[in-house]
Amino acid sequence: MFLSELYHLSITYWNQGKKRNSQLLENKVLDMRKQILGNSHPDTLQSMASLAGTYTDLGKHKDAEQLEIEVLNMRKQILGNEDPDTLQSMANLAVTYNDMGKYKDAEKMEVEVLDMRKQVLGSEHSDTLQSMANLAVTYNNMGKYKDAEKLEIEVFDLRKQILGMEHSDTLQSMSNLAVTYGNLSKYKDAEKLEIEVLDMRKQILGNEHPDTLQIMANLAVTYGNLGKYEDAEKMEIEVLDWRKQIFGIEHPDTVQSVANLAVTYGNLGKYKDAEKLKIEVLDLRKQTLGNEHPHTLQSMANLVVTYSNLGKDKDAQKLGMKFCK
């Protein structure tokens, strides 16, 4: 009973956005379950999967990948390839591959999971819809925006019908679709959806919840795309301050906020401020993601632009040569 209570408390922390507290409890539960139940027990595997999810939320993608591969291999052996828990492990690992910039690996696994979930669970099951949503995110990351849009509209419509407008999954579908609209230069459509999601998340989750901060960050990017640079700057500073407090400076979401604000500074002609932030982002991404991750390479490209804006042609050329290697 004690272990069950600790596990459910860790889930409560996770739902409240208290990811670090959740990780501490999940580590404790996992260690105790391994000792009492053994490594292959379903409850032990569930603890491993939950901890991997928390690692993902904290930006510890290598730790998440290692756990998820271990869980997937054991579930395949014990349950078989088509069991819902095995498919969930595959879906989780695909999300981690996405976070690590391994988009081809993510796409391959997500297509496989989606096909099996359609066969086993049906097209309207919540897990099938989540697979469609995950695949759409991967399509976005790969630049397949029209494919992403088609999937996201389908998921959004089904979730509205099944879950209602205020459900967290429906709101996430709206947010994802808005990002795709932005990628397709449909900025007014993106803005409309993001404002709607932001208002509902503030009401339901509060101003400081990670999901609320994410939609604020997305809306700020849209403001920038619409030329509303002052609005973007104000919102990005607010999001950055909250993320520093909640996640710390090295968390991927915090680093993304710094990167977004740097772009806005560039749009406002504040090139020295942009330069400072972009150097910080590049250093952090090299440390946490490695030199070859798409986000690190994008940071290098962004800094080259700022060096050019400042007339630092030698610095721009030097970094540009590294980027092109």
Side-chain angles (χ1 to χ4, degrees):
M1 180 63 72
F2 175 67
L3 279 178
S4 178
E5 289 171 348
L6 277 181
Y7 177 67
H8 285 99
L9 180 57
S10 72
I11 292 174
T12 300
Y13 281 142
W14 190 90
N15 289 333
Q16 292 173 345
K18 299 176 180 177
K19 313 295 185 181
R20 295 182 188 279
N21 292 341
S22 181
Q23 183 201 333
L24 291 173
L25 275 183
E26 285 172 342
N27 272 313
K28 187 170 186 178
V29 171
L30 177 57
D31 289 342
M32 294 176 73
R33 280 183 167 168
K34 281 183 176 180
Q35 293 172 27
I36 297 168
L37 302 173
N39 289 355
S40 300
H41 191 279
D43 290 348
T44 306
L45 295 179
Q46 184 56 52
S47 288
M48 292 171 69
S50 296
L51 179 58
T54 301
Y55 281 150
T56 294
D57 289 333
L58 291 169
K60 300 179 178 181
H61 302 310
K62 292 295 291 182
D63 294 326
E65 181 188 28
Q66 183 180 348
L67 271 183
E68 285 164 349
I69 289 173
E70 188 176 350
V71 172
L72 176 57
N73 289 336
M74 284 196 279
R75 282 180 167 167
K76 280 184 176 180
Q77 293 172 27
I78 298 166
L79 303 172
N81 288 355
E82 295 186 8
D83 186 274
D85 287 344
T86 306
L87 294 178
Q88 187 58 56
S89 293
M90 292 175 68
N92 293 346
L93 180 56
V95 169
T96 299
Y97 283 153
N98 222 326
D99 291 334
M100 298 175 76
K102 300 178 179 181
Y103 301 136
K104 280 290 189 182
D105 294 328
E107 180 188 26
K108 180 181 177 181
M109 192 164 282
E110 284 165 348
V111 168
E112 185 179 353
V113 172
L114 178 56
D115 288 344
M116 285 197 280
R117 280 180 166 169
K118 282 182 176 179
Q119 293 173 31
V120 176
L121 302 172
S123 295
E124 296 188 6
H125 190 280
S126 59
D127 290 348
T128 307
L129 295 179
Q130 187 58 55
S131 287
M132 293 171 67
N134 291 350
L135 181 56
V137 170
T138 301
Y139 282 155
N140 255 321
N141 288 332
M142 299 176 77
K144 300 179 179 182
Y145 303 134
K146 294 300 290 183
D147 293 329
E149 181 186 28
K150 181 181 177 181
L151 275 182
E152 285 166 348
I153 289 172
E154 186 177 353
V155 173
F156 179 37
D157 288 342
L158 284 168
R159 281 178 168 169
K160 271 198 294 186
Q161 293 172 30
I162 298 166
L163 302 173
M165 198 63 196
E166 294 186 4
H167 192 280
S168 59
D169 289 348
T170 308
L171 294 179
Q172 187 59 52
S173 294
M174 293 173 68
S175 176
N176 292 348
L177 180 57
V179 169
T180 302
Y181 282 156
N183 289 332
L184 289 166
S185 301
K186 299 179 180 181
Y187 302 132
K188 293 301 288 183
D189 293 328
E191 180 186 31
K192 181 181 177 182
L193 279 183
E194 286 163 349
I195 288 172
E196 189 175 351
V197 174
L198 177 57
D199 289 343
M200 284 195 277
R201 281 185 171 166
K202 281 184 174 180
Q203 292 172 30
I204 298 167
L205 301 173
N207 290 356
E208 299 174 25
H209 191 280
D211 290 347
T212 307
L213 296 177
Q214 184 58 57
I215 197 62
M216 289 176 68
N218 293 352
L219 179 57
V221 170
T222 300
Y223 282 154
N225 288 329
L226 288 166
K228 301 179 179 181
Y229 302 134
E230 288 81 7
D231 293 330
E233 179 186 27
K234 180 181 178 182
M235 192 165 281
E236 284 165 350
I237 288 172
E238 184 179 354
V239 173
L240 177 56
D241 288 344
W242 280 118
R243 282 179 165 170
K244 281 182 178 177
Q245 293 176 39
I246 296 168
F247 297 130
I249 190 61
E250 293 187 6
H251 188 279
D253 289 351
T254 309
V255 177
Q256 187 60 52
S257 288
V258 178
N260 291 350
L261 181 57
V263 170
T264 299
Y265 281 155
N267 290 331
L268 289 165
K270 300 179 179 181
Y271 300 131
K272 292 297 293 181
D273 293 326
E275 178 189 28
K276 180 181 176 182
L277 290 185
K278 288 180 181 180
I279 290 171
E280 183 181 352
V281 169
L282 180 56
D283 289 342
L284 284 168
R285 283 183 166 162
K286 282 182 177 179
Q287 292 170 31
T288 57
L289 300 175
N291 290 349
E292 302 302 321
H293 192 282
H295 291 170
T296 307
L297 297 175
Q298 185 61 54
S299 296
M300 292 175 68
N302 292 345
L303 183 55
V304 167
V305 171
T306 298
Y307 281 153
S308 295
N309 289 332
L310 287 166
K312 297 184 175 183
D313 296 332
K314 288 185 178 179
D315 291 327
Q317 186 178 14
K318 183 179 177 181
L319 188 57
M321 289 176 67
K322 288 183 181 179
F323 176 70
C324 293
K325 284 182 180 178

